Amino acid sequence: MAEQRRRTAGSSPVARRRAPARRRTPARRRDHTRWLVPLLAVTVGAVVLAPQLTPVLVDLTATNAPVVQETVAAPAPVAAPAPAEVPVLAQGVDTLADVAAARAETRSRAQVAAGGGGLVVPQPPRPGRISIMPNASVGRSPVYKLRPDGCGGAGTTPRRIVPGVVPGPGSATLDWMSDNRPEVVGYRVQAVSQRLVGGQQPPPVVRAVDQVEGCQPMTVTVDGLTPGEPYVFWFEEQVTSASTGVTRTVQVGTTAAVVIG
């Protein structure tokens, strides 16, 4: 024991073993992006709730505000202007109810403006309309004038010539004004009996007359008619086509039924 103590006392102190140095881990980088999501959520909530909270704040402010009564002198009476007429533009057609409503609105605005107070709500511009009273005449009816024509046809297109008829004993005399058109070459008159018989009807009595020069009165006598029977006379013109040169018969008039004497 003593020897051991000597060795211990006489020997140099033993160096203490140091613990191995720990490796320092690099410091973690601060993650700044983890605050981005909450920040965006708060911003969106503020944007959504702001329009809803604004009317509530305005109402609370208006309710808590003291009421101040002011005495306003009554304005002098002013004569209300005449109600303005409904504008007339070619945009559409109003009914009587629409016209009455528009006039009432115009009258109320004029009264509010004359009284010097009240709240006038601005109205958006509306297109004007045409106000037409039902069963009311609009415009003027045209006046037609017959073109003067001294010859047959009286200026009509197509031609319309109704000859006069004078009945006689077993005959009838027709008269008319000639048609002075160059394409007319003659006339034909047919007397058609109006008394029906059994079987085939008898053929009409035909008379032909040539055209005369110019516009002149013309007559033709149709004989061979049965006394006491009614007849209708067909009046026809013989017209030659200027393009084809073909002559055809065109009926231009008929008479009323005439009883032969």
Side-chain angles (χ1 to χ4, degrees), residues 19-210:
R22 297 181 179 179
R23 296 182 180 178
R24 296 182 180 180
T25 58
R28 296 183 180 179
R29 297 180 181 178
R30 295 182 180 180
D31 190 1
H32 298 283
T33 59
R34 62 181 178 177
W35 300 102
L36 182 59
V37 175
L39 180 60
L40 291 177
V42 173
T43 304
V44 172
V47 171
V48 173
L49 295 178
Q52 301 179 4
L53 295 179
T54 301
V56 178
L57 296 177
V58 172
D59 293 342
L60 294 176
T61 305
T63 304
N64 298 330
V67 179
V68 180
Q69 297 182 355
E70 297 181 359
T71 303
V72 180
V78 180
E85 296 295 335
V86 180
V88 178
L89 298 174
Q91 298 290 341
V93 178
D94 277 351
T95 60
L96 293 179
D98 297 337
V99 175
R103 290 182 177 176
E105 183 180 357
T106 305
R107 191 180 299 107
S108 63
R109 290 184 181 180
Q111 293 176 357
V112 171
L119 177 62
V120 178
V121 179
Q123 298 294 331
R126 297 183 177 88
R129 297 188 177 184
I130 299 177
S131 301
I132 299 179
M133 304 296 291
N135 301 328
S137 59
V138 179
R140 297 181 180 180
S141 58
V143 178
Y144 299 99
K145 294 183 179 180
L146 187 63
R147 185 177 62 184
D149 190 355
C151 296
T156 60
T157 302
R159 290 290 182 179
R160 176 67 178 171
I161 302 175
V162 180
V165 182
V166 179
S171 64
T173 302
L174 285 75
D175 63 294
W176 68 93
M177 293 295 296
S178 63
D179 191 352
N180 62 347
R181 293 182 298 168
E183 58 267 24
V184 178
V185 297
Y187 306 92
R188 187 174 71 172
V189 178
Q190 299 186 59
V192 182
S193 176
Q194 301 300 298
R195 179 171 295 177
L196 299 178
V197 297
Q200 187 176 2
Q201 303 300 316
V205 181
V206 181
R207 294 293 183 271
V209 182
D210 294 335

Side-chain angles (χ1 to χ4, degrees), residues 219-231:
T219 60
V220 63
T221 300
V222 181
D223 51 6
L225 305 179
T226 304
E229 289 188 4
Y231 284 85

